[in-house]
Amino acid sequence: MINTNTINMKPAILGGKPVRMNFLVFGRPHICEAEINEVVDTLRSGWIGTGPRTHQFEETFRKYIGSKYAIALNSCTAGLHLALDVLGINEGDEVITTPITFPSTANVIVHKRAKPVFVDVEKDTMNIDPGGIEEAITRKTKAIMPVHMTGRLCDMDKIMEIATRHNLLVIEDAAHAIEARYKGQKVGNIGDITVFSFYVTKNLVTGEGGMVTTNNDQWAEEMRIKSLHGISRDAWNRYSSKGFRPYETMYPGYKYNMTDIQAALGIHQLTRIEENLKIRERIWHTYDEAFAYIPQIITPQPIGKDNRHARHLYTILLMIERLNISRNEFIAALKAENIGAGIHFTALHLHHYYKNNFGFKRGDFPNAEYISDRTVSLPLSPNLTDADIKDVIDAVTKIIIFYRKYNKHNKR
Ligand SMILES: *Cc1c(COP(=O)(O)O)cnc(C)c1O
């Protein structure tokens, strides 16, 4: 389905007319009046810290996930750190994770003075390859941190089986995957601790924010206490009308609590989460159809019937071998057309810190590098208009057509 209007048009980056006049921001949040009113009510209520709205959000989120516990935090990164902390990951331990993730997944392992051990991903799912996990396990391995890339759950049966056999803990980075299900099972109940993100571009946004879920009583209690300085009663209980109780420091905890202003957003975002997923599914299929016959693009792999994809990121892989531009040049060209795009992700082992401190180099994780060099995430917000979606498709098509290499592969 190539739009003939875009054929042989000069890209805006070379001085041509852009596909649209105003910039389409990537990952634009979908905020409604209900959130705005709730934030205003919170500001007027006299309590803007961690309080009743945070507890309400935790309770509704917990029910949505179906876990025993849900603890609201100020980020997913905080949750990943807290999970490693309560699971006892320490200096000298090894934690297995994927190089195709946001840096914080591995950074928190370094914060605990443990060693991040990368295992290559599968080319088609972009998720950690369970076969590689098995090979990477040593006597020092304590935990596995799978990341559910773009909202597609990892092969959790295999990962949990390996973890059980080797007595390893599993912390799931579900930053992309709130709505996902694996063989009917809701994410947040599979591994030992699961962590979610409510960052501005995610499927549910609270400005900054995150949540941990677990079914383990002891870890839940410890995470709750450690999320607020390690003190035994949270501030709301201490100063509310229920009576006065001085606090006690149980651990040298962290400042990871969510505030009621953030929770005010989350409460209403959660009520629309399924509706928004349906909208993103529709956009997803529109993109799939538009790009299906463009040989310079690989669209996301379909998902098995048993599973449910959370549709967080629509990522195409550019066949750069068939183009006269690199992925970064492609994104610059898209930007000139006034379309924002993202990269999820540049493989972590190629980042300055990981390269220099752990001796990683290009060639170490070929599938991760393949994705890292080719991936482009297109706008997928539920508030995209049909015209926005058409602009994205037109801009991608226009750039591909202009920069495609003429060779036998491109015969259509
Ligand atoms: C966004 C993201 C995070 C970090 O989330 P924050 O809430 O910003 O801390 C972690 N992992 C992945 C895979 C992410 O996409």
Side-chain angles (χ1 to χ4, degrees):
M1 195 187 84
I2 285 192
N3 181 344
T4 46
N5 292 332
T6 59
I7 291 179
N8 298 327
M9 272 172 54
K10 197 177 186 185
I13 201 162
L14 300 179
K17 184 172 174 286
V19 159
R20 59 186 277 146
M21 292 325 283
N22 63 324
F23 191 71
L24 180 62
V25 174
F26 176 83
R28 189 172 60 185
H30 187 37
I31 306 287
C32 295
E33 284 304 308
E35 284 97 309
I36 294 169
N37 293 334
E38 192 76 36
V39 168
V40 173
D41 288 349
T42 309
L43 295 174
R44 294 210 164 102
S45 75
W47 191 276
I48 62 172
T50 304
R53 283 180 173 85
T54 306
H55 293 291
Q56 184 189 338
F57 180 41
E58 283 175 338
E59 191 50 21
T60 49
F61 192 85
R62 188 189 68 72
K63 285 198 179 120
Y64 176 74
I65 295 295
S67 58
K68 197 165 174 193
Y69 299 101
I71 298 150
L73 304 169
N74 54 21
S75 73
C76 171
T77 305
L80 294 167
H81 183 227
L82 209 49
L84 291 175
D85 189 293
V86 304
L87 295 179
I89 306 304
N90 278 315
E91 186 154 9
D93 293 342
E94 291 178 3
V95 178
I96 291 174
T97 192
T98 163
I100 293 292
T101 186
F102 187 68
S104 70
T105 315
N107 289 349
V108 295
I109 301 171
V110 178
H111 295 167
K112 296 305 300 176
R113 298 176 189 279
K115 184 182 168 194
V117 174
F118 293 128
V119 162
D120 205 1
V121 295
E122 301 165 331
K123 223 173 183 175
D124 53 350
T125 67
M126 301 196 273
N127 283 333
I128 193 164
D129 179 1
I133 294 177
E134 189 98 51
E135 287 168 29
I137 294 171
T138 72
R139 287 202 338 274
K140 293 178 179 169
T141 310
K142 289 284 161 58
I144 309 169
M145 284 174 90
V147 177
H148 305 303
M149 261 304 283
T150 75
R152 174 196 302 270
L153 295 189
C154 297
D155 191 342
M156 290 310 292
D157 276 355
K158 282 202 192 131
I159 291 173
M160 294 312 291
E161 187 272 319
I162 293 167
T164 307
R165 196 149 35 79
H166 293 273
N167 199 20
L168 304 176
L169 296 153
V170 176
I171 301 157
E172 290 170 74
D173 181 337
H176 299 176
I178 300 174
E179 306 91 333
R181 290 193 200 124
Y182 180 80
K183 299 188 178 171
Q185 200 176 2
K186 194 87 191 63
V187 70
N189 297 282
I190 306 169
D192 293 298
I193 295 175
T194 307
V195 193
F196 300 88
S197 174
F198 311 135
Y199 177 66
V200 294
T201 57
K202 299 287 157 67
N203 289 357
L204 187 161
V205 304
T206 62
E208 295 283 2
M211 189 85 76
V212 284
T213 63
T214 184
N215 293 323
N216 180 291
D217 304 345
Q218 191 203 318
W219 296 333
E221 158 107 0
E222 200 173 321
M223 284 194 286
R224 182 169 294 288
I225 294 173
K226 283 182 169 173
S227 72
L228 191 65
H229 305 296
I231 60 183
S232 66
R233 289 281 173 271
D234 66 34
W236 182 53
N237 282 339
R238 271 187 285 125
Y239 296 116
S240 76
S241 53
K242 285 177 190 163
F244 182 80
R245 219 181 294 168
Y247 62 79
E248 186 85 34
T249 305
M250 311 298 288
Y251 311 95
Y254 308 97
K255 180 68 180 181
Y256 284 168
N257 55 305
M258 178 178 277
T259 72
D260 274 18
I261 303 175
Q262 294 164 310
L265 291 165
I267 289 164
H268 294 281
Q269 288 269 304
L270 189 58
T271 63
R272 290 200 314 276
I273 194 138
E274 290 289 311
E275 194 184 309
N276 288 342
L277 173 62
K278 287 204 184 80
I279 298 169
R280 292 196 310 275
E281 275 170 349
R282 187 176 61 77
I283 301 171
W284 189 286
H285 294 306
T286 306
Y287 284 157
D288 267 356
E289 280 174 26
F291 303 136
Y293 302 104
I294 301 183
Q296 293 82 3
I297 289 177
I298 297 180
T299 55
Q301 294 298 300
I303 188 162
K305 274 203 179 62
D306 296 346
N307 299 341
R308 189 209 220 187
H309 196 303
R311 315 271 178 204
H312 176 53
L313 296 168
Y314 188 89
T315 57
I316 55 171
L317 293 179
L318 287 181
M319 292 294 88
I320 46 180
E321 302 78 0
R322 300 176 177 186
L323 292 167
N324 291 310
I325 47 172
S326 70
R327 187 273 318 279
N328 291 351
E329 288 164 335
F330 181 88
I331 288 185
L334 262 188
K335 200 172 164 195
E337 302 295 338
N338 280 322
I339 304 290
I343 299 175
H344 302 89
F345 293 96
T346 307
L348 219 42
H349 70 286
L350 303 177
H351 283 239
H352 177 89
Y353 175 81
Y354 289 95
K355 219 165 41 185
N356 292 338
N357 287 275
F358 296 97
F360 294 121
K361 59 188 183 311
R362 202 166 248 282
D364 286 349
F365 306 105
N367 289 350
E369 290 160 20
Y370 181 89
I371 292 161
S372 182
D373 293 342
R374 292 167 179 77
T375 187
V376 179
S377 302
L378 301 177
L380 190 64
S381 306
N383 56 9
L384 294 180
T385 65
D386 288 347
D388 292 335
I389 297 163
K390 181 178 178 299
D391 288 343
V392 174
I393 293 168
D394 285 353
V396 168
T397 311
K398 176 182 170 182
I399 296 164
I400 293 274
I401 288 173
F402 190 86
Y403 290 105
R404 67 186 166 181
K405 277 185 186 163
Y406 287 94
N407 60 35
K408 63 182 191 304
H409 295 298
N410 289 341
K411 283 225 182 84
R412 300 169 51 87

